[in-house]
């Protein structure tokens, strides 16, 4: 065999596949056990511990938000009132939405998983400002206490969007909830600043921007949005609080103020915020799709740039939430057109992921199952976003269940699926132990089926005219609503199963070893769980993050496929090297 | 078997890169190396200082966007009520506003001088300069207090608290809503800036800074200049409508 796809190296290192696999052992000291003691966690500045603390906090709120959701779906089993008053129903969907958006999904991937993996992936010992990182967690906790305070002191029933003038006139604890959102914004900004500086200044020698893993690109683009959009939400919340507490009049039409201005300001943040939610998810998918199919990522550069492209366009489309709020026809038309543009970078990503799968040696372990789920559901969510962005169609669909289905397909079907994939993928790195693959597949099946039952139904409901945010409905919608509610129970069951086997695996899982997936990014070159200071020596880049076409590694041994070919002169080393440039290889675990 | 080291010849190009390309020894495991101010996760002082500066600039961007929201409100309501804005601005005291502008600009100068002093290892001089900066900030707040006091007295207040009779035009209270929101938020930033400077003063007094390491002083300076700059926009927008 004499076709080299790589330039010939000067000193070809002869390699052979390791024949004896050493049974992986847990390292004696790692970030989880040294230093020890509760104080060492309370004051920790270690990005891995902070990531984990974020993880516990957000999972707690995910559970609370999920319980609210199941209660809502239960009320909707029948057209007439089951067990909630209209007011209770309004409070529950508001709390569900606000918790899921501000307390779960925005911090979910960046602050929890991202905190953990970003420094590892670029070969850094920590984020640039470790104390700021810890501060962001405490600020998050304080913000969430305000939100909880608002729940126990009367709740909020305005929807998570807090539209004026309703939010300034209704009773309930709007002030403490919006103050909570304001405070949570700081925690998000702190994370954003930290990530931007970390990516610019702390990359390992040789890690140029275009050698960074795509997850890092995605987190970087996310951080830019966090930093640019969140302050505007902050000032909007301040003005809303002033309006409600003091009656300063700028949102009050009776005093010459304009309530629609509130909507502009709110969506100027909240549309970019939906990309704070989805971009890191897309980053995870880029990692998983390449690692789990052992194939070089297709279109690295377009994927990297499309993250920045999405970040840019996200600031120009907020008006598509206000097509029916009385903006001028001209601005509605422009916003509609700009909204279509979002489809381009999103499409670029999806097509590149598809192309990556082509001829890969695909493993169907849980991370890949969630990746495939993501591709399926996110595509539906994105495409229906285009429906909604079309002016005439949106007039019919606005404020119906179609919108509810759309954003659940992108937020839950997109971000949450990517998050789950990422959790399973990095689980062995975080804890040093594997989760149970069998139960993971079962749970994934429940989640997939339950999710689509719940929300696909809602596209139909919405296009038939079922409005959102109502606790009762006309009899004709009963079959679809019933079906959707049953789907939500299946979905919930999937999460319960997942919680059980994941928690179980923390102590009892199989020991994972450095690199159970044979992945090539830097976090897999160190022990699992990682040592307290990440890298004992400054990591050297000897292969790219996606060089699956020429490198195989299990964390202990590295095999360079082309070099092997050079030294052996033939292709009999069992690598499945098939000579046409698309090399397939797989590492047995 | 092949460890990463034996394959080292498969090296990588280091092209455009603003990350720091230092030798492995410099990074080491980071403990016990380098000067006392160097945190363990940085390679050297330069990297640490660069990171702090970039972080500060990004933070300043968020501050500008925070005020940017208010400036937007200002622009929109002024475009809708140009005459009311014109009439309402007349009740503001231009002399006091101009005086405060001079005070703040001077305080920016003394802050810059303070940084210069630390750079030249003149810590006492730096302390004096920062002291003057804080004192000037105090003067600014006192003047602001008297302005506020006057407006409270006259009922030139936001929204439903407005009770002043002497103004023509619709909804003049909106002007005062924006005036109080913007100058109030700015005053909070003055107080934050004063605390920031006080904190670096304490550290300067403890001789923590010298020509080798003075990043926190520089950061306090950057922050203070921003607070100053925002006022330089607020002053003409609110006091000098013409
Ligand atoms: C191709 C991409 C997308 C397009 C074209 C798009 C378009 C739209 C449009 C036009 C609406 C307004 C519908 C209405 O209220 O009548 C909407 C609503 C919404 N979208 Fe998207 N979207 C996209 C992606 C996303 C993503 C990635 C997320 C979140 C991760 C998201 C979350 C939401 C949410 C939360 C709402 C509803 C907000 C509310 O009124 O409560 N969208 N989308
Ligand atoms: Cu949007």
């Amino acid at each position: 065999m004499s076709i080299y796809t790589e330039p010939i190296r000067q000193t070809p290192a002869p390699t052979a596949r390791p024949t004896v696999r050493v049974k992986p052992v847990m390292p004696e000291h790692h970030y989880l056990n040294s230093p020890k003691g509760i104080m060492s966690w309370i004051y920790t500045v270690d990005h891995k511990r902070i990531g984990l603390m974020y993880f516990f906090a957000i999972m707690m709120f995910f559970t609370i938000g999920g319980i609210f959701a199941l209660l809502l779906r239960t009320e909707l089993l029948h057209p007439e009132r089951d067990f909630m008053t209209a007011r209770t129903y309004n409070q529950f969907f508001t709390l569900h939405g606000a918790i899921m958006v501000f307390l779960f999904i925005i911090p979910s991937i960046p602050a929890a998983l991202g905190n953990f993996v970003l420094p590892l992936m670029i070969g850094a010992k920590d984020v640039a400002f470790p104390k700021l990182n810890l501060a962001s967690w405490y600020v998050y906790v304080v913000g969430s206490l305000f939100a909880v305070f608002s729940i126990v002191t009367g709740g909020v029933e305005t929807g998570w969007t807090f539209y004026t003038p309703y939010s300034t006139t209704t009773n309930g604890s709007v002030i403490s909830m919006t103050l909570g959102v304001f405070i949570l914004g700081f925690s998000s900004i702190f994370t954003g600043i930290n990530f931007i500086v970390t990516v610019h200044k702390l990359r390992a020698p040789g890690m140029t921007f275009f050698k960074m893993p795509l997850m890092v690109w995605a987190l970087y683009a996310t951080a830019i949005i966090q930093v640019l959009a969140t302050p505007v939400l902050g000032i909007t919340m301040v003005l809303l609080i002033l309006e409600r507490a003091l009656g300063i009049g700028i949102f009050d039409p009776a005093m010459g103020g304009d309530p629609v201005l509130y909507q502009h300001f709110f969506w100027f943040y909240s549309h970019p915020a939906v990309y704070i939610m989805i971009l890191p998810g897309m980053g995870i998918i880029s990692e998983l799709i390449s690692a789990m199919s052992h194939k070089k990522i297709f279109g690295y550069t377009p994927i990297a740039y499309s993250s920045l492209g999405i970040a840019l366009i996200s600031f120009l489309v907020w008006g598509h939430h206000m097509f029916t709020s009385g903006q001028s026809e001209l601005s509605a038309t422009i916003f509609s057109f700009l909204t279509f543009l979002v489809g381009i970078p999103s499409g670029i990503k999806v097509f590149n992921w598809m192309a990556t799968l082509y001829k890969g040696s695909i493993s169907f372990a849980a991370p890949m199952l969630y990746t495939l789920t993501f591709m399926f559901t996110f595509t539906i969510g994105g495409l229906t976003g285009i429906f909604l962005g079309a002016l005439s169609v949106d007039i019919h669909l606005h404020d119906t269940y179609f919108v509810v289905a759309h954003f659940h397909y992108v937020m839950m079907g997109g971000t949450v699926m990517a998050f789950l994939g990422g959790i399973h993928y990095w689980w062995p790195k975080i804890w040093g132990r594997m989760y149970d693959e069998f139960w993971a597949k079962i749970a994934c099946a429940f989640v997939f089926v339950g999710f689509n039952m719940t929300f696909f139904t809602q596209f139909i409901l919405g296009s038939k005219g079922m409005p959102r945010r109502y606790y009762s409905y006309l009899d004709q919608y009963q079959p679809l609503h019933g079906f959707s509610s049953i789907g939500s129970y299946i979905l919930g069951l999937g999460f319960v199963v997942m919680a059980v086997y994941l928690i179980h695996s923390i102590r009892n899982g199989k020991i994972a070893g450095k690199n159970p997936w044979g992945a090539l990014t830097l976090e897999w070159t160190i022990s699992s769980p990682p040592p307290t200071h990440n890298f004992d020596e400054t990591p050297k880049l000897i292969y790219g993050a996606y060089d699956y076409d020429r490198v195989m590694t299990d964390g202990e041994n590295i095999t360079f496929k082309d070099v092997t070919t050079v030294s052996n002169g033939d292709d009999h080393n069992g690598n499945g090297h098939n000579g046409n440039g698309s090399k397939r290889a797989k590492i047995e675990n | 078997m092949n460890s990463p080291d034996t394959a080292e010849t498969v090296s990588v190009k280091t092209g455009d890169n603003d990350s720091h390309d230092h030798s492995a020894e410099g990074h080491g495991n980071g403990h016990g190396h380098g000067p006392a101010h160097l945190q363990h996760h940085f390679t050297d002082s330069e990297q640490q200082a660069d990171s702090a500066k970039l972080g500060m600039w990004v933070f300043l961007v968020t501050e500008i966007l925070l005020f940017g929201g208010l400036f937007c409100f200002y622009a929109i309501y002024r475009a809708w009520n140009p005459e009311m804005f014109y009439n309402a601005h007349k009740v503001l005291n231009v002399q006091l506003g101009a005086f405060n502008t001079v005070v703040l600009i001077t305080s920016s100068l003394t802050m810059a001088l303070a940084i210069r002093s630390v750079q030249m290892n003149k810590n006492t001089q730096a302390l004096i300069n920062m002291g003057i900066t804080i004192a000037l900030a105090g003067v600014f707040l006192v003047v602001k207090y008297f302005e506020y006091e006057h407006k409270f007295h006259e009922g030139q207040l936001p929204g439903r608290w407005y009770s002043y009779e002497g103004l023509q035009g619709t909804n003049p209270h909106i002007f005062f809503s924006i005036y109080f929101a913007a100058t109030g938020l700015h005053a909070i930033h003055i107080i934050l800036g004063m605390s920031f400077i006080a904190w670096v003063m304490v550290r300067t007094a403890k001789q923590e800074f010298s020509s080798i390491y003075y990043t926190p002083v520089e950061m306090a300076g950057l922050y203070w200049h921003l607070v100053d700059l925002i006022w330089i926009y607020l002053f003409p927008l609110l006091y000098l409508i013409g």
Side-chain angles (χ1 to χ4, degrees):
Chain A
M1 238 257 341
S2 57
I3 301 164
Y4 308 128
T5 47
E6 297 283 331
I8 303 174
R9 330 233 166 260
Q10 282 155 349
T11 31
T15 50
R17 298 257 312 196
T19 41
V20 197
R21 261 191 69 92
V22 197
K23 205 166 178 299
V25 284
M26 283 290 257
E28 199 183 328
H29 297 289
H30 49 75
Y31 81 100
L32 289 168
N33 66 13
S34 60
K36 274 195 173 43
I38 179 82
M39 288 324 247
S40 78
W41 283 83
I42 291 178
Y43 291 117
T44 186
V45 287
D46 178 355
H47 68 102
K48 302 182 289 303
R49 287 188 170 192
I50 296 170
L52 213 53
M53 280 150 62
Y54 257 117
F55 181 71
F56 286 123
I58 60 168
M59 287 327 276
M60 191 182 90
F61 283 109
F62 185 63
T63 312
I64 299 176
I67 292 171
F68 276 124
L70 290 179
L71 291 172
L72 293 169
R73 281 308 328 163
T74 307
E75 171 60 41
L76 290 171
L77 272 173
H78 306 107
E80 68 281 6
R81 175 180 162 181
D82 282 323
F83 65 101
M84 287 182 205
T85 60
R87 190 180 153 81
T88 319
Y89 184 86
N90 290 354
Q91 287 180 343
F92 277 21
F93 77 66
T94 303
L95 297 176
H96 163 72
I99 287 176
M100 286 300 196
V101 169
F102 296 113
L103 289 164
F104 169 68
I105 206 166
I106 288 181
S108 67
I109 300 182
L113 273 179
N115 233 329
F116 192 94
V117 300
L118 175 91
L120 297 178
M121 288 186 128
I122 60 171
K125 295 196 166 183
D126 209 318
V127 291
F129 310 116
K131 283 186 198 148
L132 188 68
N133 201 15
L134 182 65
S136 102
W137 189 78
Y138 280 107
V139 171
Y140 170 89
V141 171
V142 172
S144 67
L145 288 179
F146 275 93
V148 171
F149 179 78
S150 139
I151 296 177
V152 296
T153 55
V156 187
E157 25 128 41
T158 59
W160 73 283
T161 47
F162 313 118
Y163 271 16
T164 53
Y166 189 62
S167 59
T168 52
T169 48
T170 173
N171 46 24
S173 311
V174 179
I175 291 189
S176 79
M177 182 61 96
T178 44
L179 198 58
V181 170
F182 174 75
I183 295 170
L184 289 167
F186 279 99
S187 121
S188 185
I189 288 177
F190 290 168
T191 307
I193 294 179
N194 234 327
F195 283 9
I196 290 179
V197 178
T198 307
V199 168
H200 272 281
K201 299 291 175 194
L202 290 185
R203 283 169 288 127
M207 170 88 59
T208 60
F209 255 87
F210 284 90
K211 289 206 167 66
M212 294 190 315
L214 288 162
M215 172 74 173
V216 178
W217 271 103
L219 288 171
Y220 179 67
T222 309
I224 292 179
I225 310 182
Q226 281 176 300
V227 163
L228 294 183
T230 318
V232 180
L233 178 74
I235 194 71
T236 314
M237 291 296 130
V238 168
L239 291 172
L240 179 63
I241 292 168
L242 289 178
E243 174 78 67
R244 195 180 155 91
L246 303 174
I248 62 170
I250 50 179
F251 294 133
D252 182 353
M255 300 172 85
D258 183 6
V260 178
L261 259 189
Y262 172 83
Q263 295 186 21
H264 278 290
F265 274 79
F266 182 82
W267 288 114
F268 181 83
Y269 164 78
S270 287
H271 184 84
V274 308
Y275 292 98
I276 297 178
M277 305 170 197
I278 196 73
L279 269 175
M282 293 168 157
I284 292 183
I285 297 303
S286 304
E287 294 305 318
L288 267 52
I289 204 130
S290 180
M292 301 307 290
S293 59
H294 274 253
K295 183 99 185 297
K296 193 177 191 111
I297 189 87
F298 188 89
Y300 174 94
T301 324
I303 295 185
Y305 276 126
S306 61
S307 290
L308 294 181
I310 288 180
L312 178 75
I313 303 174
S314 73
F315 282 98
L316 308 174
V317 301
W318 78 88
H320 66 214
H321 295 274
M322 302 169 57
F323 286 154
T324 60
S325 307
Q327 57 186 350
S328 76
E329 274 171 27
L330 177 68
S331 37
T333 314
I334 293 173
F335 278 125
S336 172
F337 173 74
L338 290 172
T339 300
F340 291 158
L341 291 186
V342 187
I344 298 173
S346 314
I348 289 178
K349 284 188 192 278
V350 173
F351 287 123
N352 280 309
W353 292 326
M354 298 288 277
T356 303
L357 286 175
Y358 178 67
K359 284 202 175 168
S361 60
I362 298 172
S363 144
F364 286 101
M368 183 52 120
L369 294 182
Y370 284 110
T371 303
L372 296 175
T373 307
F374 174 99
M375 303 238 284
F376 181 75
T377 47
F378 173 74
T379 305
I380 296 180
L383 281 176
T384 50
I386 301 287
F387 295 15
L388 294 171
L391 263 181
S392 52
V393 183
D394 188 63
I395 302 299
H396 177 63
L397 294 177
H398 177 69
D399 261 352
T400 67
Y401 263 74
F402 195 93
V403 174
V404 179
H406 155 71
F407 67 72
H408 281 92
Y409 262 81
V410 270
M411 306 212 310
M412 177 138 200
T415 309
V416 176
M417 293 306 146
F419 181 61
L420 295 178
I423 288 178
H424 285 83
Y425 178 71
W426 281 298
W427 197 255
K429 185 50 68 187
I430 296 174
W431 300 105
R433 292 180 185 270
M434 297 299 288
Y435 59 87
D436 186 294
E437 194 58 59
F438 171 77
W439 285 104
K441 289 202 164 77
I442 304 263
C444 183
F446 276 112
V447 169
F448 181 81
V449 172
F451 172 80
N452 284 292
M453 275 176 72
T454 312
F455 293 109
F456 199 84
T457 325
Q458 300 184 358
F459 282 125
I460 307 171
L461 274 171
S463 51
K464 285 178 187 263
M466 171 74 208
R468 65 191 276 210
R469 298 181 169 172
Y470 279 78
Y471 88 121
S472 68
Y473 48 84
L474 300 179
D475 286 344
Q476 70 199 67
Y477 298 123
Q478 202 285 323
L480 287 169
H481 265 306
F483 189 78
S484 176
S485 291
I486 291 170
S488 72
Y489 301 142
I490 299 178
L491 182 57
L493 188 64
F495 278 107
V496 172
V497 173
M498 194 184 308
V500 171
Y501 73 76
L502 283 181
I503 292 171
H504 180 80
S505 76
I506 292 177
R507 290 194 164 277
N508 308 297
K510 204 171 84 207
I511 292 174
K514 277 185 174 173
N515 189 359
W517 310 115
L520 295 184
T521 36
L522 282 177
E523 76 271 28
W524 302 105
T525 60
I526 53 176
S527 57
S528 325
T532 309
H533 291 297
N534 296 357
F535 299 94
D536 292 335
E537 284 161 28
T538 308
K540 293 195 195 96
L541 288 190
I542 50 174
Y543 47 74
Y546 305 105
D547 282 352
Y548 292 99
D549 51 346
R550 61 181 195 93
V551 184
M552 283 194 308
T553 175
D554 60 358
E556 308 290 346
N557 312 298
I558 305 176
T559 312
F560 288 87
K561 288 183 231 168
D562 46 352
V563 176
T564 314
T565 318
V566 172
S567 60
N568 288 358
D570 202 353
D571 183 27
H572 55 60
N573 52 13
N575 278 1
H577 189 90
N578 58 13
N580 61 3
S582 77
K583 296 156 194 159
R584 320 172 88 209
K586 187 159 177 147
I587 298 182
E588 303 82 42
N589 289 316
Chain B
M1 291 245 294
N2 211 359
S3 77
D5 289 334
T6 54
E8 225 194 289
T9 40
V10 193
S11 63
V12 282
K13 284 198 288 299
T14 40
D16 71 296
N17 193 351
D18 58 357
S19 88
H20 287 244
D21 242 288
H22 299 286
S23 59
E25 303 85 80
H27 221 298
N29 39 26
H31 301 289
H33 292 296
H37 64 258
L38 186 65
Q39 290 176 287
H40 84 279
H41 58 291
F42 289 115
T43 314
D44 56 29
S45 304
E46 193 198 342
Q47 189 190 27
Q48 176 168 321
D50 282 356
S51 302
K53 256 180 250 173
L54 180 62
M56 194 66 199
W57 278 108
V58 177
F59 177 68
L60 295 187
V61 169
T62 69
E63 291 279 21
I64 290 173
L65 280 154
L66 187 76
F67 279 94
L70 279 176
F71 285 127
C72 268
F73 275 96
Y74 173 92
I76 291 164
Y77 281 109
R78 182 168 165 187
W80 283 344
N81 315 286
E83 259 156 60
M84 179 273 277
F85 265 64
Y86 178 73
N87 292 335
H89 101 276
K90 287 186 194 155
V91 308
L92 302 185
N93 189 328
V94 183
Q95 277 82 24
L96 288 182
F99 175 73
N100 256 351
T101 311
V102 175
V103 167
L104 271 197
I105 291 179
T106 317
S107 77
S108 253
L109 174 70
T110 51
M111 191 62 213
L113 289 174
I115 298 171
R116 180 85 190 130
S117 312
V118 198
Q119 282 172 336
M120 292 162 57
N121 285 324
K122 295 184 181 157
N123 279 8
T124 323
Q125 208 183 57
L127 283 173
I128 296 173
N129 275 321
M130 286 192 261
I132 300 177
T133 312
I134 293 192
L136 288 172
V139 171
F140 178 93
L141 287 180
V142 170
V143 171
K144 205 78 232 154
Y145 170 79
F146 284 114
E147 284 191 73
Y148 275 10
E149 153 109 278
H150 180 72
K151 293 198 179 50
F152 270 78
H153 187 73
E154 298 276 317
Q156 296 154 349
L157 288 171
R160 66 174 142 91
W161 305 92
Y162 183 84
S163 60
Y164 186 59
E165 306 267 293
L167 271 180
Q168 306 292 310
T170 43
N171 300 317
H173 59 256
I174 296 256
F175 177 84
F176 293 98
S177 298
I178 291 173
Y179 169 83
F180 275 100
T183 54
L185 192 64
H186 180 255
I188 293 176
H189 280 76
I190 295 267
I191 294 169
L192 291 176
M194 288 165 80
S195 336
F196 195 175
I197 297 172
W199 176 67
V200 277
M201 273 178 82
V202 173
R203 293 185 62 184
T204 315
K206 288 195 204 152
Q207 304 299 337
E208 286 184 34
F209 305 126
S210 65
S211 57
I212 303 171
Y213 174 65
Y214 53 87
T215 316
V217 190
E218 233 184 337
M219 299 300 107
L222 274 178
Y223 187 78
W224 192 250
H225 295 322
L226 179 90
V227 174
D228 186 11
L229 191 72
I230 290 172
W231 178 256
I232 290 178
Y233 278 90
L234 285 178
F235 173 60
L237 285 176
L238 294 168
Y239 290 75
L240 303 180
I241 300 176

